[in-house]
Coordinates of all heavy atoms in Angstrom, one line a residue:
D36 N 5.5 -9.7 14.1 CA 6.6 -8.7 14.2 C 7.6 -9.1 13.1 O 7.4 -10.0 12.3 CB 7.2 -8.6 15.5 CG 7.9 -9.9 16.0 OD1 8.2 -10.7 15.2 OD2 8.2 -10.0 17.2
Y283 N -13.6 -6.5 -4.2 CA -13.9 -5.4 -3.2 C -12.6 -5.1 -2.4 O -12.0 -6.0 -1.8 CB -15.0 -5.9 -2.3 CG -15.7 -4.7 -1.6 CD1 -17.0 -4.3 -1.9 CD2 -15.0 -4.0 -0.6 CE1 -17.6 -3.2 -1.3 CE2 -15.6 -2.9 0.0 CZ -16.9 -2.6 -0.3 OH -17.5 -1.5 0.3
G353 N -24.6 -8.9 18.9 CA -25.1 -7.5 19.1 C -24.3 -6.7 20.2 O -24.8 -5.7 20.6
F643 N -2.4 7.1 -7.4 CA -3.0 7.0 -8.7 C -4.1 8.1 -8.9 O -4.2 8.6 -10.0 CB -3.6 5.6 -8.9 CG -2.6 4.5 -8.7 CD1 -2.7 3.7 -7.6 CD2 -1.6 4.3 -9.6 CE1 -1.7 2.7 -7.4 CE2 -0.7 3.3 -9.5 CZ -0.7 2.5 -8.3
L668 N 3.6 16.8 -15.0 CA 4.2 15.6 -14.4 C 4.7 16.1 -13.0 O 5.0 17.2 -12.7 CB 5.4 15.1 -15.2 CG 5.0 14.5 -16.5 CD1 6.3 14.1 -17.3 CD2 4.2 13.2 -16.3

Side-chain angles (χ1 to χ4, degrees):
D36 69 15
Y283 199 107
F643 304 107
L668 293 173

